[in-house]
Coordinates of all heavy atoms in Angstrom, one line a residue:
S203 N 126.6 -103.4 -67.4 CA 125.5 -102.5 -67.0 C 124.7 -102.0 -68.1 O 123.5 -101.9 -68.1 CB 126.1 -101.4 -66.2 OG 126.8 -101.9 -65.0
A204 N 125.4 -101.7 -69.3 CA 124.7 -101.2 -70.4 C 123.8 -102.3 -71.0 O 122.6 -102.0 -71.4 CB 125.7 -100.7 -71.5
E205 N 124.2 -103.5 -71.0 CA 123.4 -104.6 -71.6 C 122.2 -104.8 -70.7 O 121.0 -105.0 -71.1 CB 124.2 -105.9 -71.7 CG 123.4 -107.0 -72.4 CD 124.3 -108.2 -72.7 OE1 125.5 -108.1 -72.4 OE2 123.7 -109.2 -73.1
L206 N 122.4 -104.7 -69.3 CA 121.2 -104.8 -68.4 C 120.3 -103.7 -68.6 O 119.0 -103.9 -68.6 CB 121.7 -104.9 -67.0 CG 122.3 -106.2 -66.5 CD1 122.9 -106.0 -65.1 CD2 121.3 -107.3 -66.5
A207 N 120.7 -102.5 -68.8 CA 119.9 -101.3 -69.1 C 119.0 -101.5 -70.3 O 117.9 -101.1 -70.4 CB 120.7 -100.1 -69.1
S208 N 119.6 -102.1 -71.4 CA 118.9 -102.4 -72.6 C 117.7 -103.3 -72.4 O 116.7 -103.3 -73.1 CB 119.8 -102.9 -73.7 OG 120.3 -104.2 -73.3
H209 N 117.8 -104.2 -71.3 CA 116.7 -105.1 -71.0 C 115.8 -104.5 -70.0 O 114.9 -105.2 -69.5 CB 117.3 -106.4 -70.5 CG 118.0 -107.2 -71.5 ND1 117.4 -107.8 -72.6 CD2 119.3 -107.5 -71.6 CE1 118.3 -108.4 -73.3 NE2 119.5 -108.3 -72.7
G210 N 116.0 -103.2 -69.6 CA 115.1 -102.6 -68.6 C 115.5 -102.8 -67.2 O 114.7 -102.6 -66.3
I211 N 116.7 -103.3 -66.9 CA 117.2 -103.7 -65.6 C 118.3 -102.7 -65.2 O 119.3 -102.6 -65.9 CB 117.6 -105.1 -65.4 CG1 116.5 -106.1 -65.9 CG2 118.1 -105.4 -64.0 CD1 117.0 -107.5 -65.9
F212 N 118.1 -101.9 -64.1 CA 119.1 -100.9 -63.7 C 119.6 -101.3 -62.4 O 118.9 -101.6 -61.4 CB 118.5 -99.5 -63.7 CG 117.9 -99.1 -65.0 CD1 116.6 -99.3 -65.3 CD2 118.7 -98.5 -65.9 CE1 116.0 -99.0 -66.5 CE2 118.1 -98.1 -67.1 CZ 116.8 -98.3 -67.4
V213 N 121.0 -101.4 -62.3 CA 121.6 -101.8 -61.0 C 122.5 -100.7 -60.5 O 122.9 -99.8 -61.3 CB 122.5 -103.1 -61.2 CG1 121.6 -104.3 -61.6 CG2 123.5 -102.9 -62.3
D214 N 122.7 -100.7 -59.2 CA 123.6 -99.7 -58.6 C 125.0 -100.0 -59.0 O 125.5 -101.1 -59.3 CB 123.4 -99.8 -57.1 CG 124.1 -98.7 -56.4 OD1 123.5 -97.5 -56.4 OD2 125.2 -98.9 -55.9
V215 N 125.8 -98.9 -59.0 CA 127.2 -99.0 -59.4 C 128.0 -99.8 -58.4 O 129.1 -100.3 -58.8 CB 127.8 -97.6 -59.6 CG1 127.2 -96.9 -60.8 CG2 127.7 -96.8 -58.3
H216 N 127.5 -99.9 -57.2 CA 128.3 -100.6 -56.2 C 127.8 -102.1 -56.0 O 128.1 -102.7 -55.1 CB 128.1 -99.9 -54.8 CG 128.6 -98.5 -54.9 ND1 130.0 -98.2 -55.0 CD2 128.0 -97.3 -54.8 CE1 130.1 -96.8 -55.0 NE2 128.9 -96.3 -54.8
A217 N 126.9 -102.5 -56.9 CA 126.4 -103.9 -56.9 C 127.5 -104.9 -57.1 O 128.5 -104.6 -57.8 CB 125.3 -104.1 -57.9
S218 N 127.4 -106.0 -56.4 CA 128.4 -107.0 -56.5 C 128.5 -107.6 -57.9 O 127.5 -107.6 -58.7 CB 128.2 -108.2 -55.5 OG 127.0 -108.8 -55.8
E219 N 129.7 -108.0 -58.3 CA 129.9 -108.5 -59.6 C 129.1 -109.8 -59.9 O 128.6 -110.1 -61.0 CB 131.4 -108.8 -59.9 CG 131.7 -109.2 -61.3 CD 133.3 -109.4 -61.5 OE1 134.0 -109.1 -60.5 OE2 133.7 -109.8 -62.6
S220 N 129.0 -110.7 -58.8 CA 128.3 -111.9 -59.0 C 126.8 -111.6 -59.3 O 126.1 -112.3 -60.1 CB 128.4 -112.8 -57.7 OG 127.9 -112.1 -56.6
L221 N 126.2 -110.6 -58.6 CA 124.8 -110.3 -58.8 C 124.6 -109.7 -60.2 O 123.6 -110.1 -60.8 CB 124.4 -109.2 -57.7 CG 123.0 -108.7 -57.9 CD1 122.0 -109.8 -57.7 CD2 122.7 -107.6 -56.8
V222 N 125.5 -108.9 -60.7 CA 125.4 -108.3 -62.0 C 125.5 -109.5 -63.0 O 124.7 -109.5 -64.0 CB 126.5 -107.3 -62.3 CG1 126.5 -106.8 -63.7 CG2 126.3 -106.1 -61.3
N223 N 126.4 -110.4 -62.9 CA 126.5 -111.5 -63.8 C 125.2 -112.4 -63.8 O 124.8 -112.8 -64.9 CB 127.7 -112.4 -63.5 CG 129.0 -111.6 -63.7 OD1 129.1 -110.7 -64.5 ND2 130.1 -112.0 -62.9
S224 N 124.7 -112.6 -62.6 CA 123.5 -113.4 -62.6 C 122.3 -112.7 -63.2 O 121.5 -113.3 -64.0 CB 123.1 -113.7 -61.1 OG 124.2 -114.5 -60.5
L225 N 122.2 -111.4 -63.0 CA 121.1 -110.6 -63.6 C 121.3 -110.6 -65.1 O 120.3 -110.7 -65.8 CB 121.1 -109.2 -63.1 CG 120.6 -109.0 -61.6 CD1 120.8 -107.5 -61.2 CD2 119.1 -109.3 -61.5
L226 N 122.5 -110.5 -65.6 CA 122.7 -110.5 -67.0 C 122.3 -111.9 -67.7 O 121.7 -111.9 -68.7 CB 124.1 -110.2 -67.3 CG 124.5 -110.0 -68.8 CD1 123.7 -108.9 -69.4 CD2 126.0 -109.7 -69.0
E227 N 122.6 -113.0 -67.0 CA 122.3 -114.3 -67.5 C 120.8 -114.5 -67.5 O 120.2 -115.0 -68.5 CB 122.9 -115.4 -66.6 CG 122.7 -116.8 -67.1 CD 123.3 -117.8 -66.3 OE1 124.1 -117.4 -65.3 OE2 123.1 -119.0 -66.5
V228 N 120.1 -114.0 -66.5 CA 118.7 -114.1 -66.4 C 118.0 -113.2 -67.5 O 117.0 -113.6 -68.2 CB 118.1 -113.7 -65.0 CG1 116.6 -113.6 -65.0 CG2 118.6 -114.7 -64.0
A229 N 118.6 -112.0 -67.7 CA 118.0 -111.1 -68.7 C 118.1 -111.7 -70.1 O 117.3 -111.5 -70.9 CB 118.7 -109.8 -68.6
R230 N 119.3 -112.4 -70.4 CA 119.5 -112.9 -71.7 C 118.5 -114.1 -71.9 O 118.0 -114.3 -73.0 CB 120.9 -113.4 -71.8 CG 121.9 -112.3 -72.0 CD 123.3 -112.8 -72.0 NE 124.3 -111.7 -72.3 CZ 125.6 -111.8 -72.2 NH1 126.1 -113.0 -71.9 NH2 126.4 -110.8 -72.5
S231 N 118.3 -114.9 -70.9 CA 117.5 -116.1 -71.1 C 116.0 -115.8 -70.9 O 115.1 -116.5 -71.5 CB 117.9 -117.2 -70.1 OG 117.7 -116.7 -68.8
K232 N 115.7 -114.8 -70.2 CA 114.3 -114.4 -69.9 C 114.0 -113.0 -70.2 O 113.7 -112.2 -69.3 CB 113.9 -114.8 -68.5 CG 114.1 -116.2 -68.1 CD 113.7 -116.5 -66.7 CE 114.0 -118.0 -66.4 NZ 113.6 -118.3 -65.0

Side-chain angles (χ1 to χ4, degrees):
S203 299
E205 186 173 354
L206 285 175
S208 65
H209 294 292
I211 304 174
F212 302 92
V213 296
D214 189 78
V215 293
H216 302 292
S218 63
E219 184 175 357
S220 60
L221 176 61
V222 173
N223 293 334
S224 300
L225 287 174
L226 185 59
E227 182 179 357
V228 172
R230 286 174 175 174
S231 61
K232 301 180 180 180

